[in-house]
């Protein structure tokens, strides 16, 4: 669906929206403070009666001044209504407080992106993730994931897992309709997909291929998992020009992996897959494409996530539009066998075979 074909705002609406963009970083921090200080929860707890600013200040143990400036900002953001001095939570406030997707996105932006994305402009001009320095001294964020502070790493993992987890049940059913038994999971991360595969099929064997640091993290996650004897590991740098994949798998699986690379790097990775593939091999690619979303907010979220890749993750990848991505698969020597859209929250599953 094309959400971007026309300018729908009047001049007055457009100018109002521009002011919201100008003060957007402050609005973000207001939301964070309202949640962290318990103010949003306190207003929610007052239900139909509503809360006054003095009663809120007493409930959360804060000065009236601080509560007042945050609440008044929250009114402008749209988190509260106010009638006769009594505050009540809006639907937007409720989602900020209770919706898991909103929480996951908020924590990811706050803990991973907020500081680093201030270096977006030099990241664009220099072609490197300048903002990554706010997290650590690595070439890419993937090299440093295992070394991030536990709470920061958890925000990254929760963001990564939330969207793929919703798509996995349908993807599993589609995968095993093809009678896949010997699966190479490239970019297997913490092994969540491998775990679900061996639980789903007693015949399935999965090899996780990833960077050595990621492999160690996956080993730790999987060591107590039932059927972990059917999960093996292949430490590999897919960007190393001399690295090769073993030609022994009937299925190559990549979930939210290829979006971590530039077009040229995707072609190189797919080229390694093509070299290892037999005529019977099928390549499964699970990705969220911003141009195949059911809702404008989903497309927006993916477009914004692209800038995390630009400024922080690696400096050269993004959440792709489907036409560009599909063309890369075909250029690498595959043909599209089928495509399944709207898995989970907004993923597409592409199945390709050697051309």
């Amino acid at each position: 669906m094309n959400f971007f074909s026309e300018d729908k705002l009047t001049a007055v609406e457009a100018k109002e929206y521009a002011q919201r963009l100008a003060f957007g970083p402050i609005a973000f921090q207001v939301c964070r403070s309202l949640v962290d200080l318990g103010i949003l929860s306190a207003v929610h707890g007052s239900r139909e009666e509503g809360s006054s600013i003095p009663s809120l200040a007493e409930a959360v143990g804060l000065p009236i001044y601080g509560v007042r400036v945050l609440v008044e900002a929250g009114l402008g953001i749209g988190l509260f209504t106010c009638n006769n001095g009594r505050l009540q939570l809006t639907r937007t406030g409720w989602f900020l407080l209770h919706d898991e997707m909103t929480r996951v996105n908020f924590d990811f932006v706050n803990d991973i992106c907020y500081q680093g994305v201030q270096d977006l402009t030099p990241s664009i001009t220099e072609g490197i993730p300048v903002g990554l320095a706010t997290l650590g001294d690595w070439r890419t964020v993937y090299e440093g994931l295992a070394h991030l502070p536990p709470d920061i790493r958890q925000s990254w993992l929760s963001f990564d897992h939330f969207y793929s987890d919703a798509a996995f049940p349908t993807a599993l059913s589609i995968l095993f309709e093809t009678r896949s038994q010997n699966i190479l999971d490239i970019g297997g991360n913490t092994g969540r997909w491998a775990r679900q595969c061996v639980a789903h099929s007693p015949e399935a064997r999965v090899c996780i291929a990833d960077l050595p640091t990621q492999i160690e993290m996956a080993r730790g996650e999987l060591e107590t998992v039932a059927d972990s004897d059917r999960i093996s590991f292949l430490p590999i740098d897919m960007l190393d020009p001399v690295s090769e994949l073993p030609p022994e798998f009937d299925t190559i699986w990549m979930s939210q992996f290829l979006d971590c690379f530039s077009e040229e790097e995707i072609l190189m990775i797919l080229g390694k897959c093509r070299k290892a593939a037999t005529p019977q091999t099928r390549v499964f690619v699970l990705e969220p494409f911003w141009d195949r979303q059911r809702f404008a907010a989903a497309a927006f979220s993916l477009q914004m996530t692209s800038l995390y890749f630009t400024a922080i993750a690696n400096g050269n990848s993004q959440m792709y539009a489907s036409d560009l991505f599909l063309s890369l698969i075909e250029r690498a020597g595959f043909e599209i066998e089928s495509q399944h859209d709207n898995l989970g929250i907004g993923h597409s599953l592409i199945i390709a075979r050697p051309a």
Side-chain angles (χ1 to χ4, degrees):
M1 182 178 293
N2 188 356
F3 301 110
F4 311 105
S5 60
E6 58 180 299
D7 187 351
K8 299 178 181 179
L9 300 181
T10 67
V12 171
E13 291 169 338
K15 188 169 184 177
E16 177 186 343
Y17 187 65
Q19 308 322 304
R20 292 184 178 276
L21 293 176
F23 287 96
I26 297 177
F28 181 90
Q29 293 297 343
V30 168
C31 294
R32 180 185 177 188
S33 293
L34 286 168
V35 172
D36 291 350
L37 295 174
I39 297 172
L40 219 59
S41 293
V43 174
H44 183 237
S46 68
R47 306 297 178 180
E48 291 80 8
E49 179 184 353
S51 299
S52 67
I53 289 176
S55 66
L56 269 179
E58 182 178 358
V60 299
L62 292 171
I64 288 179
Y65 162 77
V67 173
R68 184 173 65 241
V69 293
L70 286 174
V71 163
E72 289 174 354
L75 285 169
I77 294 168
L79 305 180
F80 307 118
T81 59
C82 185
N83 292 285
N84 300 316
R86 311 296 292 187
L87 297 156
Q88 291 180 310
L89 209 62
T90 62
R91 294 182 182 90
T92 301
W94 188 94
F95 280 110
L96 185 62
L97 189 60
H98 294 293
D99 179 59
E100 184 181 2
M101 179 168 62
T102 303
R103 179 187 58 77
V104 164
N105 289 345
F106 200 95
D107 289 347
F108 177 73
V109 171
N110 185 71
D111 295 338
I112 302 296
C113 304
Y114 196 86
Q115 293 184 14
V117 81
Q118 295 183 56
D119 291 315
L120 178 60
T121 296
S123 297
I124 292 285
T125 58
E126 298 176 31
I128 58 174
V130 178
L132 177 59
T134 62
L135 297 177
D137 184 19
W138 310 292
R139 288 183 308 161
T140 71
V141 74
Y142 313 107
E143 297 173 12
L145 274 180
H147 308 291
L148 290 174
D151 56 334
I152 304 298
R153 183 169 66 247
Q154 188 56 52
S155 291
W156 191 96
L157 291 172
S158 294
F159 181 81
D160 184 62
H161 293 162
F162 178 81
Y163 295 96
S164 59
D165 281 358
F168 278 176
T170 305
L172 273 171
S173 298
I174 296 171
L175 173 69
F176 285 103
E177 284 175 1
T178 65
R179 309 184 72 82
S180 296
Q181 300 297 331
N182 200 13
I183 303 164
L184 179 63
D185 179 7
I186 302 178
N189 207 336
T190 58
R192 291 170 80 87
W193 174 254
R195 180 188 307 180
Q196 294 193 40
C197 284
V198 297
H200 186 90
S201 170
E203 289 81 33
R205 305 188 71 84
V206 184
C207 176
I208 298 175
D210 213 326
L211 293 170
T213 54
Q214 294 296 98
I215 289 293
E216 289 308 307
M217 192 160 60
R219 286 185 190 275
E221 292 284 337
L222 296 171
E223 59 185 359
T224 60
V225 170
D227 301 310
S228 61
D229 59 316
R230 289 189 280 124
I231 301 175
S232 58
F233 302 93
L234 174 64
I236 186 172
D237 181 355
M238 293 297 292
L239 296 184
D240 184 344
V242 302
S243 67
E244 294 186 352
L245 297 171
E248 59 195 58
F249 299 95
D250 56 44
T251 301
I252 297 174
W253 171 268
M254 290 175 279
S255 172
Q256 294 181 181
F257 176 69
L258 291 176
D259 59 43
C260 300
F261 302 96
S262 68
E263 295 171 56
E264 294 75 15
E265 291 168 342
I266 291 173
L267 283 172
M268 182 174 72
I269 292 168
L270 288 172
K272 295 177 188 288
C273 295
R274 181 65 183 87
K275 184 176 180 181
T278 70
Q280 289 73 42
T281 302
R282 293 296 178 267
V283 175
F284 288 72
V285 178
L286 185 68
E287 287 286 348
F289 300 118
W290 66 257
D291 63 332
R292 289 187 175 268
Q293 299 303 307
R294 289 169 287 179
F295 302 104
F300 171 82
S301 297
L302 291 171
Q303 291 161 337
M304 295 303 104
T305 302
S306 285
L307 284 311
Y308 145 75
F309 288 109
T310 305
I312 298 162
N314 55 23
N316 60 11
S317 66
Q318 66 172 106
M319 307 307 293
Y320 287 91
S322 59
D323 56 350
L324 173 57
F325 201 91
L326 293 173
S327 71
L328 295 173
I329 293 175
E330 292 171 343
R331 285 172 58 190
F334 293 95
E335 61 183 52
I336 308 301
E337 187 171 88
S338 63
Q339 180 170 328
H340 308 264
D341 293 324
N342 299 319
L343 275 67
I345 296 172
H347 277 68
S348 295
L349 181 63
I350 302 165
I351 305 175
R353 62 172 179 262

